[in-house]
Amino acid sequence: MPRLGVNIDHVATIRQARRTFEPDPVRAAIICELAGADGIVAHLREDRRHMQDRDLELIRQVINIKLNFEMAATDEMVEKALGILPEQVTLVPEKREELTTEGGLDVRKQIRELSRVVGILQGNGITVSLFIDPEEEQIRASIETGAFAVELHTGRYAESCLKGKFEKELRKLITAVEIAKKAHLSVNAGHGLTYQNVALAANISGIEELNIGHTIIARAVLVGLERSVKDMVALVKI
Ligand code: PXP
């Protein structure tokens, strides 16, 4: 039974559309905790397009569940992480022009830099998870960085569900989990998961945490955040 991390960037995206004070992701984080989420995920992007520094600082203070701080492996963000001291950092690739995090890290290509950042963060007691595509090459490179965890990108699986042909992508996830577990990595997964496609992912043996954002906040607009988180908890914790 995986844990559920709720990504609340999307609350901040609505606020930033008007550059105003509402809706406040800090309040959203508290509601997610009360509704049964196991963790809060928040991505502070270099361009500050949704989450702001103040959000991360306050969320750190008010929640009593795990904070998973998503960030690019830059010196600026390493400094932020050391100030905030989340339980976990998930390192993600960041491109200014993308709508959301579109693909996993190419760990092999940046292995020296990622290893350096992993060393600093884990040396300060923060578990590091690398967001990667479910490919053996990326898992092997992740192991070499010394990271304790990986987050498998479920975007392709989610897209394949929309087309009704998900078996191949599901199998890729299952194989990737097996390889990572054999190497004693903690395995998380996320991106593009919805109320419709989450059950099969939640059922994969070995996945410890699912990180889900858009679909929960989209439903919250219609039915309220407490109910949308509870609906997801019911599907993830089967
Ligand atoms: N995991 C990571 C690493 C992400 O970057 C995101 C999107 O911010 C998510 C999970 C959540 O994706 P979604 O909003 O599609 O549920």
Side-chain angles (χ1 to χ4, degrees):
M1 194 167 74
R3 297 185 298 269
L4 172 65
V6 179
N7 182 318
I8 54 170
D9 297 347
H10 312 275
V11 176
T13 299
I14 299 172
R15 178 191 59 192
Q16 295 312 111
R18 286 289 177 93
R19 303 264 189 284
T20 178
F21 61 91
E22 63 184 359
D24 188 344
V26 181
R27 294 180 184 201
I30 295 170
I31 293 171
C32 291
E33 176 175 345
L34 293 173
D38 301 296
I40 297 298
V41 186
H43 183 178
L44 188 65
R45 294 183 77 105
E46 185 198 11
D47 62 10
R48 306 297 196 272
R49 76 165 69 147
H50 39 52
M51 286 300 204
Q52 306 298 306
D53 300 54
R54 154 277 180 206
D55 300 331
L56 266 301
E57 285 154 19
L58 288 177
I59 289 167
R60 166 73 297 178
Q61 289 175 41
V62 299
I63 63 168
N64 291 303
I65 49 177
K66 171 174 163 178
L67 175 59
N68 178 1
F69 177 27
E70 257 188 53
M71 57 177 241
T74 63
D75 288 342
E76 183 203 4
M77 287 302 154
V78 168
E79 204 176 299
K80 282 279 158 212
L82 296 181
I84 292 164
L85 287 180
E87 284 79 9
Q88 183 173 310
V89 157
T90 299
L91 294 177
V92 298
E94 213 174 275
K95 291 191 219 105
R96 268 177 188 268
E97 63 277 17
E98 68 191 354
L99 278 179
T100 175
T101 313
E102 282 163 8
L105 288 164
D106 189 342
V107 183
R108 179 61 67 204
K109 218 170 165 186
Q110 314 164 62
I111 196 147
R112 282 186 57 181
E113 186 49 20
L114 287 172
S115 303
R116 186 182 75 83
V117 170
V118 168
I120 297 171
L121 295 172
Q122 291 192 164
N124 281 276
I126 302 168
T127 297
V128 178
S129 179
L130 301 180
F131 185 50
I132 55 170
D133 292 327
E135 290 165 7
E136 179 160 7
E137 165 75 357
Q138 295 302 336
I139 298 167
R140 300 270 169 237
S142 300
I143 297 163
E144 287 175 39
T145 68
F148 293 150
V150 288
E151 178 173 334
L152 301 175
H153 196 310
T154 48
R156 286 242 166 79
Y157 160 71
E159 276 169 27
S160 72
C161 287
L162 287 175
K163 294 179 193 140
K165 280 194 133 197
F166 55 82
E167 289 80 4
K168 192 170 139 218
E169 295 301 332
L170 185 64
R171 167 78 16 224
K172 266 198 207 165
L173 285 171
I174 293 168
T175 306
V177 175
E178 285 168 2
I179 296 168
K181 292 307 291 180
K182 268 199 199 129
H184 307 293
L185 286 171
S186 291
V187 185
N188 310 316
H191 210 284
L193 295 174
T194 64
Y195 292 88
Q196 292 74 32
N197 67 26
V198 74
L200 289 173
N203 247 320
I204 299 175
S205 165
I207 291 189
E208 291 165 47
E209 178 180 291
L210 292 177
N211 294 314
I212 307 178
H214 181 84
T215 200
I216 294 175
I217 305 307
R219 180 174 289 216
V221 172
L222 303 179
V223 305
L225 185 55
E226 182 185 359
R227 180 160 147 208
S228 67
V229 173
K230 282 186 171 161
D231 288 352
M232 188 56 82
V233 167
L235 289 171
V236 166
K237 301 193 173 280
I238 31 177

